[in-house]
Amino acid sequence: MDHDLTIDEKRVYADRTGADEVLIAADQGVVAVSLSDDRVGEFGLDHRAAARDVAAAGDRRAVATDADVLVGDYDPTDFGPAVAVGFDGDALLAAGPDGRIARLGDGWTTLGDVEAPRAVDGGMIAAESGVHQVVGDDLRNVGLDGVHDVHGRGMPLAATDDGLYRLGNGWMVERDGAFGVVSADSADDRAHAAGEGGLFVREAVGEWVPVDVPVPVDGLVDVGYTDAATVAVTETGTLLADAGDGWRSRELGVTGVRRLAVQT
């Protein structure tokens, strides 16, 4: 069975208003937020089901829930319970709570297993057992352990229990300390990481400087990017956006937030 990962045009705020749509995975469900530069417009619960992760690429989107992976207009895919989803080019990858990693095509193809998966991005999986990379129809462990987040496109980055790493000639330490979040835009022009030392922005390869935010940094769970702004979200449902003039914030009225995705 083929699955349509695209969303109906009527659901995309960007098509109606010229704004970007930010999707938030929370305990209450998926919140859709209209964001124009750093200003929050219309927002509300777009789908009601505890969401563990959300991913978007162009007009495609996917949501990991306790029951299934949902795609497009929240259509089921028969994956089963999921903790993470992410796009690898045109392919959708998903991770189950048991560590199963699978790719969606004509049904789901299991690629392998990892220990305690936490995030999926660009063909890489962040897990307690390390960073795992999809190679053909298999998974390859490419190193590290205690990995909480990964940016798997362009110049790969990994957030781990003991440091922030960049993949070059092996994994190279960018910054010491425990990190839980790492993100970069599609061109690798902007990158942020969050951990016990705060929120950091990359100014050059190997050079990360702290960023002041108007919320407790240990509550930040994800960072993303529109063309105009850097967007972040906290576990307690505060959305932050910075288009160059400082952070604006908005309470979304949800809890248990885990991830955000920018729909373009």
Side-chain angles (χ1 to χ4, degrees):
M1 173 183 179
D2 290 331
H3 296 275
D4 184 4
L5 277 65
T6 60
I7 55 177
D8 193 314
E9 183 177 352
K10 68 183 174 61
R11 304 184 73 97
V12 185
Y13 292 128
D15 287 340
R16 298 203 304 263
T17 67
D20 294 291
E21 186 180 46
V22 179
L23 304 173
I24 307 293
D27 280 347
Q28 291 79 10
V30 178
V31 179
V33 182
S34 175
L35 187 67
S36 179
D37 294 332
D38 57 3
R39 292 175 173 81
V40 174
E42 179 182 1
F43 68 92
L45 198 61
D46 204 39
H47 181 75
R48 190 179 297 276
R52 305 306 174 191
D53 195 8
V54 61
D59 63 350
R60 298 169 296 160
R61 71 174 166 203
V63 181
T65 76
D66 290 339
D68 200 358
V69 172
L70 310 179
V71 297
D73 288 320
Y74 305 109
D75 299 319
T77 63
D78 296 323
F79 176 85
V83 295
V85 288
F87 288 97
D88 178 15
D90 292 332
L92 175 65
L93 303 176
D98 59 355
R100 177 173 68 107
I101 307 299
R103 180 172 56 212
L104 183 61
D106 185 12
W108 288 98
T109 299
T110 297
L111 305 176
D113 296 277
V114 304
E115 180 185 343
R118 292 160 173 161
V120 178
D121 184 72
M124 288 187 170
I125 296 91
E128 178 61 31
S129 51
V131 177
H132 302 258
Q133 185 173 26
V134 175
V135 181
D137 290 333
D138 297 308
L139 283 181
R140 177 183 300 165
N141 190 318
V142 293
L144 303 178
D145 54 31
V147 184
H148 293 274
D149 200 3
V150 64
H151 166 67
R153 295 155 288 139
M155 183 187 300
L157 299 165
T160 80
D161 287 334
D162 62 7
L164 179 64
Y165 290 84
R166 170 175 57 89
L167 184 59
N169 184 17
W171 289 102
M172 295 172 282
V173 179
E174 293 275 284
R175 193 173 181 94
D176 291 326
F179 283 87
V181 176
V182 65
S183 296
D185 65 13
S186 58
D188 274 335
D189 291 331
R190 296 174 287 176
H192 288 77
E196 62 181 8
L199 178 66
F200 297 86
V201 61
R202 185 179 65 195
E203 293 196 340
V205 174
E207 184 181 346
W208 296 77
V209 299
V211 178
D212 290 329
V213 290
V215 296
V217 175
D218 58 3
L220 286 177
V221 293
D222 206 3
V223 179
Y225 307 93
T226 68
D227 286 344
T230 299
V231 188
V233 68
T234 71
E235 191 273 338
T236 53
T238 300
L239 184 72
L240 302 107
D242 181 2
D245 296 321
W247 295 96
R248 292 175 179 262
S249 63
R250 182 69 176 268
E251 300 297 329
L252 301 179
V254 292
T255 56
V257 174
R258 290 170 176 83
R259 292 284 175 179
L260 68 79
V262 177
Q263 189 88 61
T264 57

